[in-house]
Structure formats: C-alpha cells, structure tokens
Amino acid sequence: MSAPITVLGSDSGPGSGPGPDFGPGSDSGFGPGSPSASPQPRAVALDLTGRTALVTGAASGIGRACALRLAAAGARVRAVDRAAEGLESLAGAAAGSPGSVEPRLLDLTDLDAAEGAAAGADILVNNAGLQLVRPIEEFPPDVFHTVLTVMLEAPFRLIRGALPHMYGQGWGRIVNLSSVHGVRASPFKSAYVAAKHGLEGLSKTAALEGASHGVTSNCVNPGYVRTPLVERQIADQAAAHGIAPERVLTEILLKDSALKRLIEPEEVAEAVLYLCTPQASFITGTSLILDGGWTAH
C-alpha cells in the first residue's frame, strides 16, 4: 500500500485515503469520459426574493453552486471565502440572476468576524472546509486545530450570529454541508471525520433549539463530488498506484457506491435548496445522504 496522499483544499464532501481503503470524497471531480454521465438536475421551483443567504466556501465547488442557485432563486447572497479570484469569478457568473451575489473576503479562523458576518442572514449554508490525509501519529496538531476551527467552531459561531435575526422573524434555514464522513469513518482522516461528526451533532442541537422559532437545521452529506479537489486526488492516486485515472474512480473512489459516477455540485445545491422550500418545513435535525448507495452496505 502506498503512503497516504496529503490533500489540502476547500470542502464539499468526504476526503481521500490510500489504496483500497479510499473513503468517499468531499470536493471532487473528474473530466469527460467518466464511467457514466451525470444528469443535469432540474431546478426546484423556489422564490427567495427578499431573503438574505450566507454561503461559506463560496468561491468554488459546492459552495459556488449553492451561491449561484440561491441567487437564481432571488436571494441576496453573501458569498464568503478567502479566495479573491474565485469570488470575483462567482460574482461575474451571477450577473443577471434574479438575486445578487456580494463577495466577502473572510478567513473563517477569524471567529469573531465570522459571527459578525452572519448577522441578519435568513439562510445559512456552512460549506467551507479543508482536508489533510495522514495517519494519526503523523498528523500535525496545528493542522488538526485548524480543521476543527474552520469546519466546526466557525459553523457554531456563524449559527450563533445568525440565530437572533432568524428567531426574531420566526423563520430561518440552516444547512450544513457535512459528508458521508459525518456518519462513517475512514483511516487517515482523523481531523476531517472528527469535524464532520461534530457538525452533525451541532446541526441536531440547533434543530432542537430552533424548532419553536421556525428555524430548521439539517446536514447534506455528499459522497464524491465533481470538483477540483477530488480531481487532484484522482491524479495523485493514479500516479501512486500506476493505474489509469478511470480505474481510480471505479475501483477505489466508487468501489462501494451502487451508482458508479460522481455527484455534480449542482445536484448537491438542489438538495440544499430543497431544504429551504415550504415543502421541507417539517424536515429538521436530520442528514440527507447523497452517496449513490455507499452507506447502504
């Protein structure tokens, strides 16, 4: 078995691992010619005109798809990320949408700033994250601390900042981008798995506290998503194992998935948007798993 691959990047689902123990991936991607083409999701009809949404990790991947989808539904979107170029591209892509995108440069390790940024938000999408794949005995404590800060403590502070406004108006939606690793563990991902499991508990607690105030809180748990981070993981694994990228996808990443394809960021965004619809008002404190059947085993 080769040495674990180290990955640092933005979030959107599980991380990666070495050899056949490769777990599901969060930020992921694969170019044309993947085993089966992904269908383009049909948009959920939802009018969010007048609503303010905040999306973290909005410069790329699932965060970008969520920001664009919310703006398409008419929301004013606060797009939070530390990547200025990605935010600029996002704002350009949202031009002409019924809603709007307001880029906000923010490093979520600045917890006070994160809490302040959430004030007045009607919808909060906690998506930002990062990944490092390494055995526990070799895992740098400072990176473990950073992962937990960005992926668990920052969501707590963002929820804390958003709730007074949500409670005051008797309506709010909190959607936490978790991962299959929020309900399953894989080796070499101690910080990521710990953060996602913690996020699941935080989300449930917010659901219980917010129920009487008209606020729902849920997790969305994707498997491998077609985004740049997992595309890099596929290339790294192909090089490490001396096999074609297509085999990495089918034999490692999607080995335990019933559906042999990656999920599209837009599909995840539609799930996020569904949780904001009136029809989803009774859904709270739960996890919507989008893993192609991986956890059905």
Side-chain angles (χ1 to χ4, degrees):
M1 180 179 291
S2 63
I5 300 295
T6 299
V7 180
L8 284 171
S10 57
D11 188 38
S12 312
S16 63
D21 293 323
F22 213 131
S26 148
D27 228 288
S28 40
F30 202 71
S34 51
S36 96
S38 301
Q40 289 301 312
R42 299 184 67 180
V44 173
L46 176 62
D47 184 3
L48 293 175
T49 302
R51 297 292 188 188
T52 296
L54 186 150
V55 181
T56 67
S60 65
I62 290 175
R64 177 185 171 91
C66 288
L68 290 173
R69 186 64 184 89
L70 286 160
R76 297 183 299 265
V77 181
R78 300 173 188 170
V80 172
D81 207 294
R82 61 181 182 179
E85 187 175 337
L87 287 178
E88 183 179 350
S89 170
L90 170 65
S97 294
S100 61
V101 169
E102 175 193 343
R104 292 198 176 188
L105 274 176
L106 178 63
D107 187 332
L108 291 178
T109 59
D110 185 343
L111 297 171
D112 289 339
E115 183 170 330
D122 305 302
I123 297 165
L124 172 62
V125 180
N126 284 312
N127 168 72
L130 61 157
Q131 172 70 291
L132 176 66
V133 181
R134 195 167 297 178
I136 291 174
E137 69 275 16
E138 298 175 12
F139 206 101
D142 60 326
V143 177
F144 190 96
H145 173 76
T146 300
V147 171
L148 269 290
T149 299
V150 171
M151 294 172 58
L152 182 55
E153 193 168 1
F156 160 71
R157 295 293 294 271
L158 286 154
I159 292 171
R160 188 174 188 269
L163 283 181
H165 170 71
M166 292 180 179
Y167 284 2
Q169 68 181 3
W171 190 93
R173 296 290 183 265
I174 300 166
V175 184
N176 300 297
L177 263 299
S178 181
S179 161
V180 175
H181 277 140
V183 295
R184 295 287 191 274
S186 288
F188 310 114
K189 307 179 187 101
S190 56
Y192 191 92
V193 171
K196 292 301 188 185
H197 274 65
L199 185 64
E200 296 279 332
L202 174 64
S203 183
K204 289 179 172 65
T205 301
L208 296 177
E209 294 184 11
S212 62
H213 301 278
V215 175
T216 66
S217 175
N218 294 286
C219 287
V220 173
N221 304 56
Y224 286 105
V225 188
R226 189 188 301 273
T227 60
L229 181 59
V230 168
E231 192 165 48
R232 292 194 297 272
Q233 295 177 19
I234 292 170
D236 288 341
Q237 286 291 323
H241 294 282
I243 60 177
E246 293 80 2
R247 288 184 59 194
V248 173
L249 188 65
T250 58
E251 299 175 18
I252 300 176
L253 269 70
L254 302 179
K255 178 174 66 72
D256 292 323
S257 177
L259 297 177
K260 302 299 184 183
R261 69 170 179 86
L262 300 171
I263 186 171
E264 301 295 331
E266 293 77 13
E267 290 179 277
V268 181
E270 288 300 322
V272 170
L273 261 290
Y274 173 70
L275 293 173
C276 298
T277 64
Q279 293 83 355
S281 63
F282 204 70
I283 301 174
T284 195
T286 193
S287 300
L288 180 55
I289 298 176
L290 310 175
D291 69 348
W294 184 73
T295 55
H297 290 276

